Amino acid sequence: MSKQNNVETHTFQAETKQILHLMIHSLYSNKEIFLRELISNASDALDRLRFAAIADDSIQDEGDLCIELELDEEKGLLTVRDNGIGMDRDDVIENIGTIARSGTRAFLDQLTGDAKADAHLIGQFGVGFYSSFIVADMVTVITRKAGDEVSQGVRWVSDGGGEYSLEAVEKETHGTEVILHLKADEKEFLSPWALRSLVGRYSDHIGFPIRMQETGEDDEPEWKDINKASALWTLPKGEIADEEYQSFYKYLTHDMDDALAWAHNKVEGSQTYTTLLYLPSTAPMDLMLQRDERTGLRLYVNRVFIMDAAQNLLPHYLRFMRGVVDSADLPLNVSRELLQENELSGKIRAAVIRRSLDLIGKLAKDGDEKYEPFWAQFGAVLKEGIVEDFGNRERIAPLLRFASTKGNGAKHVVDLAGYVERMPEGQDAIYYITAENHSAAAHSPHLEVFRKKGIEVLLLSDRVDEWMMAYFNEFEGTPLKSVAKGDIDLGKVGESEVGDEDKAETEETKTLEKDLLEKIQAALGDRVAEVRSSRRLTDSASCLVLGEQEMALHLQRMLEQAGQDVPESKPILELNPGHPLVTKLGSEEGGRFDDLALVLYEQALLSEGAVLEDPADFVRRVNQLLVG
Ligand code: ADP
């Protein structure tokens, strides 16, 4: 920081400059969004002033909260002014001196260099105030915080390069003025007509009037309202066009894409409240991160913005939902703590969950074409609900989609009800396998007997799956069962692809001799808990099986890599009694017997997706056996 005549010069964080540069280039084709962003900030500032005035006597809500757009054609200036909460010096440094917030690095790493894809990412990152630099080569912010006694404000100036300056200035009223020095070729934003049309498109239904100076009848300039200024959710559904819902969504979320769907409901009765919930079409970057500060659901009490109440009104697994809740009955001074235990807010929360799940359900009913994109974006998050929200499990379960041995490759298109419908007579469980990735699941030896008998198996490879399935034991009365855990006895289930002859054969060779099993067990030592004959394998020689309650091996590995304690558990080695390698064991002795037993175990590990502890040793053993 350097100082001269009370003007301090600060440098942006290193990453800020990079982001600004990228943003200006990749958002250029959408440059008019700067206006929406600035109006949205101004409207937030007005919301916050109104709220602060309730709690703090030193802050007055003078009643005429509004946003002004002022044009100076001669100087090429466009000013967006609000009489909202304003900022003090520290706020300015914190809020607009810092674009690089947590996650910036990760964000930059995701950029591809492809303008279109990057624009999309940048939009999700939330460019806000900085989008001003798309059209302006210099931006001045003059602001004063409400409640500050001295009539001093702060002036922030930057050209979007590496630095900004700060200076104390006189300012009579609280609020913020953002003055854009428009670039020479962006003068179109000095046309009142163009601004009107942009406001109409983007900001018609924010809750505050937007005013612009226009020439009145006697040539005197006068301020005119140029938006409808009616909070969108307060209007009757029938009067709202889809485009209006969409533009309100963008105002609310700063998303550049349309919402996928929305639900607008008003509840009247013992409690009156309105919910307007949106399903975004793409997931924001940090969705999968386990963040505590969640945003996305704004709580209003009688149109007064109170707080972002996503934490209180939205469960974690619905953290992708966006929207507004407006309650007529909550007290204006409701605090987070109060929301936590308040009975009314409990009811609102339950309603928000129900409506969100209904909205998703409706999308699912509309068919795969609509549902697939949703599922691809948010499915893995929604699955957390199976664990987190027992009370709504029955609503969530039908919304789940899986890849399946009878589905469409790796696509998640199979639902549980459909699976149950397809179950052949005698099948009494929904079978699934979890693995590190789709191909490991699809090619697992555990599926062999199921394939042979034509029994469908769900192929689960999302990170959350193993965790979810530990809690998810039945669907509408049908148990869910992992094909890699416990004992599998398909008995007579399945299309009779296994002819009677085959059956007799399986029956006959079903078990390996006890002596042999014990000998193998001795050769493997404490690597496995047990060695037994398999009823799962038809082609492969061996596979590893876990107890019903044990954690899948791929998940154990993942947790171990993440440095977590994993409960000690040993797999069972199952051998295919019909496989020539296994039969061969019976006639081997000594070192060759031990080597072959070990190779069978190692093969099972490999097909599980594991990495062998000593791959070179494995290769040596296999080669020796091959040379034989
Ligand atoms: P975002 O709005 O997504 O937080 P911005 O970069 O647009 O990101 O703004 C950063 C912060 O600067 C805001 O969160 C707010 O605290 C502050 N800010 C921006 N514009 C205003 C304004 N007109 N009045 C008061 N504070 C503002």
Side-chain angles (χ1 to χ4, degrees):
M1 181 180 96
S2 63
K3 213 164 172 172
Q4 214 178 11
N5 303 336
N6 284 328
V7 183
E8 301 169 359
T9 307
H10 296 242
T11 38
F12 285 121
Q13 286 153 282
E15 282 146 1
T16 305
K17 209 171 157 184
Q18 206 176 342
I19 291 206
L20 276 179
H21 180 80
L22 272 163
M23 185 193 69
I24 291 167
H25 288 271
S26 57
L27 290 188
Y28 191 76
S29 54
N30 266 316
K31 58 187 173 180
E32 75 276 1
I33 60 151
F34 81 89
L35 191 64
R36 184 181 80 206
E37 298 293 316
L38 293 182
I39 288 177
S40 169
N41 281 348
S43 153
D44 285 348
L46 296 172
D47 269 336
R48 281 195 281 148
L49 178 88
R50 204 191 248 169
F51 179 65
I54 297 165
D56 185 344
D57 286 342
S58 70
I59 295 177
Q60 298 288 319
D61 168 1
E62 291 92 355
D64 189 30
L65 297 178
C66 72
I67 299 164
E68 291 176 353
L69 303 182
E70 195 168 293
L71 305 173
D72 184 334
E73 251 182 284
E74 251 168 58
K75 294 190 183 134
L77 303 179
L78 165 60
T79 301
V80 179
R81 183 184 301 125
D82 67 68
N83 50 358
I85 192 82
M87 289 177 273
D88 62 19
R89 190 177 171 281
D90 290 345
D91 292 340
V92 170
I93 295 177
E94 165 86 18
N95 295 334
I96 57 179
T98 326
I99 182 181
R101 31 196 140 173
S102 58
T104 306
R105 196 66 258 165
F107 164 73
L108 284 173
D109 290 344
Q110 285 191 36
L111 295 175
T112 55
D114 170 49
K116 208 166 158 221
D118 288 352
H120 189 80
L121 275 171
I122 284 175
Q124 288 173 32
F125 183 70
V127 288
F129 167 76
Y130 287 90
S131 57
S132 314
F133 288 105
I134 307 175
V135 295
D137 45 26
M138 186 155 78
V139 179
T140 304
V141 178
I142 301 172
T143 180
R144 179 179 151 198
K145 192 166 187 156
D148 275 1
E149 273 155 31
V150 282
S151 62
Q152 275 237 318
V154 188
R155 173 160 52 205
W156 177 100
V157 183
S158 179
D159 63 1
E163 297 177 335
Y164 63 89
S165 71
L166 270 187
E167 180 185 4
V169 289
E170 286 286 303
K171 188 175 185 318
E172 275 177 29
T173 53
H174 57 80
T176 303
E177 211 170 287
V178 179
I179 306 162
L180 307 183
H181 306 247
L182 294 171
K183 293 179 183 167
D185 48 358
E186 306 297 350
K187 296 286 156 68
E188 65 196 88
F189 297 109
L190 290 173
S191 137
W193 181 85
L195 290 182
R196 242 178 200 280
S197 129
L198 283 179
V199 167
R201 180 138 39 104
Y202 288 133
S203 313
D204 224 12
H205 286 294
I206 70 164
F208 300 97
I210 301 175
R211 300 200 176 123
M212 194 164 58
Q213 235 171 6
E214 286 181 5
T215 319
E217 285 175 8
D218 41 7
D219 269 357
E220 282 298 301
E222 46 180 271
W223 289 101
K224 284 198 178 146
D225 288 0
I226 59 167
N227 70 333
K228 296 206 178 96
S230 48
L232 186 79
W233 67 89
T234 61
L235 305 177
K237 267 199 235 197
E239 291 177 16
I240 309 175
D242 286 1
E243 300 81 68
E244 291 179 298
Y245 277 118
Q246 291 290 16
S247 69
F248 186 72
Y249 166 75
K250 289 175 181 168
Y251 152 74
L252 205 63
T253 60
H254 303 251
D255 194 344
M256 310 236 292
D257 297 329
D258 277 351
L260 200 56
W262 59 86
H264 184 188
N265 297 89
K266 183 160 187 169
V267 175
E268 271 162 305
S270 64
Q271 208 195 145
T272 301
Y273 60 88
T274 302
T275 52
L276 172 54
L277 300 169
Y278 287 97
L279 206 53
S281 53
T282 41
M285 292 202 316
D286 52 10
L287 186 68
M288 296 307 291
L289 302 177
Q290 302 286 321
R291 293 215 312 186
D292 280 343
E293 354 80 71
R294 268 182 294 131
T295 59
L297 195 61
R298 293 171 149 237
L299 175 66
Y300 289 76
V301 171
N302 285 319
R303 298 184 206 188
V304 177
F305 173 71
I306 306 295
M307 65 176 105
D308 198 307
Q311 303 247 42
N312 306 79
L313 300 180
L314 263 185
H316 202 60
Y317 72 94
L318 290 175
R319 59 189 178 277
F320 47 81
M321 297 298 300
R322 297 287 178 263
V324 167
V325 172
D326 192 345
S327 158
D329 307 303
L330 285 170
L332 274 170
N333 61 358
V334 63
S335 63
R336 225 167 256 296
E337 291 67 39
L338 206 77
L339 267 187
Q340 208 69 53
E341 53 210 38
N342 182 292
E343 199 186 322
L344 290 182
S345 73
K347 281 193 182 149
I348 295 178
R349 182 182 152 100
V352 166
I353 296 176
R354 207 176 51 244
R355 300 226 188 271
S356 302
L357 294 176
D358 284 352
L359 185 60
I360 299 169
K362 228 171 89 203
L363 203 65
K365 275 212 188 76
D366 287 347
D368 288 346
E369 208 170 302
K370 282 212 159 164
Y371 199 57
E372 256 179 60
F374 161 80
W375 186 257
Q377 290 286 325
F378 304 113
V381 178
L382 188 65
K383 283 175 179 173
E384 296 170 15
I386 290 287
V387 180
E388 277 174 22
D389 190 355
F390 183 78
N392 281 302
R393 189 174 289 179
E394 282 177 18
R395 287 172 188 274
I396 301 168
L399 303 174
L400 303 179
R401 293 293 179 273
F402 303 96
S404 147
T405 50
K406 296 211 171 153
N408 181 1
K411 284 201 167 153
H412 290 206
V413 290
V414 167
D415 67 328
L416 294 171
Y419 180 106
V420 170
E421 252 177 56
R422 286 188 293 276
M423 283 184 354
E425 191 141 344
Q427 182 180 343
D428 51 10
I430 298 170
Y431 290 105
Y432 68 89
I433 182 163
T434 62
E436 221 153 1
N437 52 56
H438 177 75
S439 113
H443 301 125
S444 166
H446 293 113
L447 301 183
E448 287 170 5
V449 71
F450 291 86
R451 278 236 167 73
K452 184 144 194 192
K453 294 196 162 204
I455 297 173
E456 181 170 7
V457 179
L458 302 176
L459 307 170
L460 277 57
S461 55
D462 272 344
R463 251 163 189 242
V464 299
D465 286 334
E466 177 68 15
W467 176 61
M468 167 177 77
M469 297 316 286
Y471 293 83
F472 192 25
N473 302 317
E474 58 140 345
F475 170 71
E476 294 175 358
T478 311
L480 287 143
K481 197 166 170 2
S482 164
V483 301
K485 292 182 187 175
D487 204 10
I488 293 284
D489 185 2
L490 292 174
K492 292 196 174 67
V493 188
E495 299 152 24
S496 47
E497 276 173 30
V498 186
D500 284 343
E501 255 170 66
D502 281 357
K503 225 178 254 171
E505 196 184 311
T506 349
E507 223 52 44
E508 199 184 298
T509 48
K510 203 156 90 185
T511 47
L512 292 162
E513 280 183 23
K514 203 165 157 252
D515 283 358
L516 180 61
L517 291 174
E518 277 170 5
K519 218 172 133 195
I520 302 170
Q521 167 99 57
L524 295 177
D526 62 0
R527 291 181 180 87
V528 293
E530 189 191 334
V531 181
R532 70 183 183 207
S533 288
S534 185
R535 283 189 282 210
R536 294 166 219 258
L537 299 174
T538 60
D539 302 320
S540 301
S542 60
C543 70
L544 294 172
V545 175
L546 293 167
E548 300 272 4
Q549 303 306 325
E550 281 174 335
M551 192 190 285
L553 293 171
H554 69 94
L555 188 68
Q556 292 188 23
R557 282 196 296 278
M558 202 173 85
L559 291 177
E560 269 165 11
Q561 275 159 18
Q564 298 200 27
D565 287 337
V566 178
E568 181 86 26
S569 79
K570 262 185 227 152
I572 295 163
L573 178 67
E574 283 198 0
L575 297 174
N576 177 358
H579 197 281
L581 268 184
V582 177
T583 337
K584 199 164 173 247
L585 259 179
S587 56
E588 295 288 355
E589 289 291 335
R592 279 184 65 85
F593 179 91
D594 290 355
D595 277 355
L596 187 50
L598 211 52
V599 164
L600 286 170
Y601 164 73
E602 286 165 323
Q603 284 185 348
L605 267 179
L606 285 173
S607 54
E608 253 291 323
V611 176
L612 298 180
E613 260 173 43
D614 191 347
D617 202 33
F618 167 75
V619 172
R620 184 192 57 76
R621 263 193 300 277
V622 170
N623 286 350
Q624 218 148 46
L625 290 167
L626 286 175
V627 173

